[in-house]
Amino acid sequence: MGLRKKRHEDAPAGPPHDWAVELHGVRRQYGRGGSAVHALRGIDLALPRGTFTAIMGPSGSGKSTFLQCAAGLDRPTAGTVHLGGTEITGLSENKLTALRRTRLGFVFQAFNLLPSLTVEQNVVLPMRLAGHRPDRRRAAEVLAQVGLADKARRRPGQLSGGQQQRVAIARALVTRPDVVFADEPTGALDTTTAAEILGLLRQAVDGLGSTVVMVTHDPAAAAWADRVLFLADGSIADRLERASAQQIAARMTALTAPAYAGAAA
Ligand SMILES: Nc1ncnc2c1ncn2[C@@H]1O[C@H](COP(=O)(O)OP(=O)(O)OP(=O)(O)O)[C@@H](O)[C@H]1O
Ligand SMILES: [Mg+2]
């Protein structure tokens, strides 16, 4: 079986965990020598299956690089990444592409739907790309889960931004992936619509047992997560569990202005 059970230093005492995402000593360096940029400086973490994690941090702290490495879109310079128990760091490009299509879901700020396809065709696209027969019953099921049962035959251009992002979430969930990676999924939406989208991601975790990893700049968005990991200069500088938007915002302020926070303490 692909399942890999293993203890991690972050794990609570008790039975071994079923980790959806594991990073061990992950480094990502751009360039070499004196001009090298250390985007990730040694990330160690393990995220339990069926949980919602937010990644925050100042601009340039390594959030996008982290997501790309964790999702197999970029290769770390050093260290290993496991997804759903499979080490992806050594996989060939073909195997990695196949794994991304069948076992990962992606949600982006810009929705990234294909305008010429219907909503239903967009949702089953991951199945088609993986060479499987599109499962229309499954498409109807996930579209109902995101509240778009009646929009299957529409085109993305006929939907609001929030509805388009719902389609993107349905597409991300259609293969029942090990992990859904979301990069600023609410960045282009107003506050009310953003809350609906975050509620859907929360519901995917609580109701369907999905694992969600979301990069966000917004403390209110991060407050929907079970935990927030704060990146600073390529390292995990802090973490909060079950925190409020206020607590998260305060921690972000401390991270971005450490000298000021230190002087005020
Ligand atoms: N392709 C690249 N070549 C060189 N340096 C890069 C490359 N991509 C990212 N970097 C650098 O790596 C560091 C981390 O970048 P990253 O994009 O991960 O930050 P981020 O936290 O996502 O920032 P933002 O909040 O602005 O999106 C930055 O110093 C950035 O300039
Ligand atoms: Mg970024």
Side-chain angles (χ1 to χ4, degrees):
M1 275 297 295
L3 289 182
R4 179 164 166 275
K5 309 234 179 212
K6 180 175 177 301
R7 285 293 304 273
H8 184 270
E9 61 253 37
D10 277 356
H17 245 86
D18 185 7
W19 303 114
V21 182
E22 290 173 79
L23 275 72
H24 297 287
V26 168
R27 297 176 163 275
R28 180 65 168 99
Q29 179 179 327
Y30 294 106
R32 288 162 178 271
S35 61
V37 175
H38 299 277
L40 297 177
R41 295 176 184 269
I43 304 284
D44 289 292
L45 64 82
L47 304 176
R49 198 180 284 276
T51 65
F52 189 171
T53 303
I55 310 289
M56 297 192 82
S59 183
S61 59
K63 301 182 296 297
S64 292
T65 308
F66 166 84
L67 207 70
Q68 303 257 322
C69 287
L73 293 162
D74 186 16
R75 288 182 191 274
T77 312
T80 57
V81 177
H82 289 81
L83 290 176
T86 304
E87 183 180 342
I88 65 161
T89 340
L91 292 183
S92 69
E93 212 49 55
N94 285 346
K95 287 226 165 95
L96 208 47
T97 303
L99 180 138
R100 278 199 305 266
R101 284 177 180 160
T102 54
R103 294 181 39 192
L104 303 182
F106 293 92
V107 181
F108 301 97
Q109 176 170 348
F111 318 144
N112 295 14
L113 302 174
L114 294 184
S116 61
L117 300 184
T118 66
V119 162
E120 182 191 62
Q121 288 167 339
N122 269 282
V123 169
V124 299
L125 197 59
M127 297 170 167
R128 281 179 52 195
L129 288 173
H132 301 145
R133 242 179 94 233
D135 182 344
R136 298 188 62 190
R137 269 188 55 191
R138 175 68 187 149
E141 193 174 287
V142 283
L143 279 171
Q145 277 159 5
V146 302
L148 292 181
D150 56 338
K151 301 279 192 283
R153 290 168 171 278
R154 299 280 187 91
R155 312 249 168 213
Q158 300 171 301
L159 301 179
S160 70
Q163 289 170 334
Q164 290 187 54
Q165 196 62 309
R166 285 167 183 263
V167 177
I169 291 176
R171 181 184 57 185
L173 295 174
V174 76
T175 60
R176 297 187 179 84
D178 285 311
V179 190
V180 173
F181 289 99
D183 196 355
E184 293 279 355
T186 57
L189 303 174
D190 65 72
T191 315
T192 310
T193 312
E196 287 168 15
I197 293 299
L198 291 159
L200 281 178
L201 292 175
R202 185 71 251 177
Q203 190 186 313
V205 171
D206 295 338
L208 309 174
S210 306
T211 306
V212 176
V213 180
M214 170 181 78
V215 166
T216 182
H217 280 99
D218 180 5
W224 288 80
D226 298 306
R227 76 184 61 76
V228 187
L229 303 179
F230 295 90
L231 282 177
D233 196 20
S235 300
I236 296 178
D238 213 339
R239 61 190 294 159
L240 285 174
E241 303 276 335
R242 298 255 170 213
S244 68
Q246 287 82 352
Q247 291 169 314
I248 295 165
R251 206 57 72 91
M252 267 304 285
T253 307
L255 260 186
T256 43
Y260 176 81

